[in-house]
Amino acid sequence: MHNKVTKAIFPVAGLGTRFLPATKSIPKEIMTLVDRPLIQYAIDEARAAGIKEFIFVTSRGKGALEDYFDNAPQLEAELRKKGKNDLLDLLKSTNMESGAIAYMRQHKPLGLGHAVWCARRLIANDEPFAVILPDDVIASETPCLQQMVEAYEEVGGNMVAAMEVPKDRIKAYGVLDLEEDMGALVKVRGMVEKPEPEAAPSNLAVIGRYILTPGVLQNLSKMKSGSGGEIQLTDAIAEEIAQERGVYGYRFRGQRFDCGSKSGYLQATVAFALARDELRADLMGYLKELISVEKAAQ
Ligand code: UTP
């Protein structure tokens, strides 16, 4: 029996330079897909997977993110007075229980590995924990982290969400070297951060969902900077293999959007809007019109 995963770390201390100038004053994680901030999707996914404690690794300028999780008594009173109960319920569903959220500060953007390490004192010695990158939004029937927790309960160890990526885009990812392919689960022999396409050991890339053991935090404590001068989480997970502790990749069911890039963010916006009954017909009409204008111009 493996210990239950009840804590999740959300590293949100990055600079978000790809969304400048917006990210000059808005944390990237507050940007919305339709009307929900990216961070809300991540929190909902964590809750569905049984997470009870939410650890945010933040940085300067992320105040709006902290405010987002506060209750909004004035707004709630106003909605109650006007009898807008649907909106009131919607608002309340985003409230977090007192004491369920912790904020740690990453003082310098030294990389994802460093951000996770900043939360080390909030994780006990024998406690597995999840890491969720809110930029990676995954549309799926069973939320991705829940799928992973179910698989983790079977095999334990460390687990990363994995996705097949075309060769010409592999350089943007951490890539798995497979020891054994068991279907949804793969046993990992090694991991390479941002390889050239010819050097990539497979087409299976790591994306932003992890279930990790505290050994990874100990590995991070010993690490110097890796690829790109940053402290890479991938390197600390790969170190677990060297120490003969299991690392698995999990091919999740669902569609992942890279909302850290403009193109991925726009695609997600369209996909999530089309999934909403009240928006679908209007947006679809507009898209069809665009396509026919485009075709006529060719
Ligand atoms: P990204 O690589 O997307 O970097 O980080 P970024 O700073 O957010 O965005 P760009 O590339 O400048 O546009 C992936 C995740 O790791 C977190 C980010 O907040 C994001 O959730 N991160 C990254 C940190 O928390 N600290 C860091 O030092 C680096």
Side-chain angles (χ1 to χ4, degrees), residues 200-219:
S202 75
N203 67 347
L204 214 47
V206 177
I207 63 120
R209 301 288 183 277
Y210 309 78
I211 295 174
L212 302 175
T213 50
V216 173
L217 298 173
Q218 284 151 26
N219 301 342

Side-chain angles (χ1 to χ4, degrees), residues 68-98:
Y68 176 77
F69 291 113
D70 275 347
N71 289 10
Q74 245 180 340
L75 192 54
E76 284 179 19
E78 201 61 30
L79 292 174
R80 199 170 295 116
K81 209 164 74 187
K82 291 187 172 146
K84 297 195 169 174
N85 292 331
D86 287 358
L87 284 179
L88 194 59
D89 289 345
L90 180 73
L91 203 60
K92 281 186 176 165
S93 72
T94 65
N95 289 349
M96 299 291 277
E97 194 195 326
S98 291

Side-chain angles (χ1 to χ4, degrees), residues 11-18 28-29 106 109-112 115 133-135:
V12 291
L15 297 174
T17 54
R18 283 171 287 172
K28 178 170 65 174
E29 301 74 21
Q106 185 189 29
L110 296 177
L112 175 60
L133 306 192
D135 316 13

